[in-house]
Amino acid sequence: MTMREKIEQAAARYPDQRSAIMPALLIAQREHGHLPGPVLEEVAEILGVERIWVYELATFYTLFHTEPVGRFHLQLCDNVSCMLRRSEELLTHLEKVLRIKKGGTTPDGLFTLSTVECLGACEMAPVMQVGDDYHGNLDIERIDALLARLCATVPETNGADLAAAEPPGE
């Protein structure tokens, strides 16, 4: 089934096509990996809605990506609950281990590191979202174990040891 057919099928469940924008964006992002301008315009055209409505949603919600992201998008919460539980230290560690700064993607395209305002999981602080999964009560050891598990799922990394990395710019 083409992206257009999937979007049309999803949109048929809504009485107003504007209400179908978010499901349509999810379909388009699964298809393309991210949502560049031409894809956003195609979604608007398929739904018959104003382009600005599609752009507004795509750029407001952190689950949508208008730029390419790595295979694993690490989104670390930096809101007050996570900050009080030392999320800033975890960010510094992730930057060191991955050799990228916040907002960057590793050269191999494996990891993108971002911070987000709130993941709504304060009871698990500090928390990070990877893809659709939440990982909470994080500390450096749990971060390192998570990165190792993620790398192990990618054969071409050959179990790369990220812990030996040097900080960016050092």
Side-chain angles (χ1 to χ4, degrees), residues 10 39 61 79 90 98 116 132 152 166 168 170:
V39 172
Y61 290 103
N79 208 326
L90 298 179
L98 298 174
V116 292
D132 293 332
E166 291 299 319
E170 291 190 12

Side-chain angles (χ1 to χ4, degrees), residues 32-157:
H32 294 279
H34 69 290
L35 299 167
V39 172
L40 295 175
E41 291 177 16
E42 184 178 2
V43 168
E45 184 269 321
I46 292 168
L47 294 175
V49 298
E50 297 292 327
R51 289 185 308 187
I52 189 64
W53 296 345
V54 175
Y55 276 84
E56 286 172 341
L57 288 177
T59 57
F60 179 78
Y61 290 103
T62 60
L63 73 135
F64 298 122
H65 314 294
T66 56
E67 298 292 327
V69 294
R71 181 171 184 169
F72 302 111
H73 188 190
L74 310 177
Q75 297 179 91
L76 182 65
C77 180
D78 65 0
N79 208 326
V80 69
S81 295
C82 290
M83 182 188 65
L84 290 172
R85 303 274 325 262
R86 299 191 165 117
S87 64
E88 291 170 336
E89 290 175 21
L90 298 179
L91 177 61
T92 299
H93 180 72
L94 284 163
E95 288 177 332
K96 176 183 176 184
V97 169
L98 298 174
R99 300 182 212 169
I100 57 174
K101 291 290 188 184
K102 174 179 77 172
T105 300
T106 56
D108 61 5
L110 203 55
F111 294 99
T112 295
L113 178 60
S114 302
T115 57
V116 292
E117 181 60 29
C118 184
L119 290 172
C122 299
E123 73 283 1
M124 297 170 43
V127 65
M128 180 169 63
Q129 183 176 355
V130 182
D132 293 332
D133 299 322
Y134 278 29
H135 301 273
N137 300 306
L138 293 172
D139 56 24
I140 288 174
E141 293 77 25
R142 287 185 174 167
I143 292 270
D144 289 344
L146 173 61
L147 293 175
R149 283 194 310 274
L150 294 172
C151 283
T153 66
V154 183
E156 57 270 19
T157 63

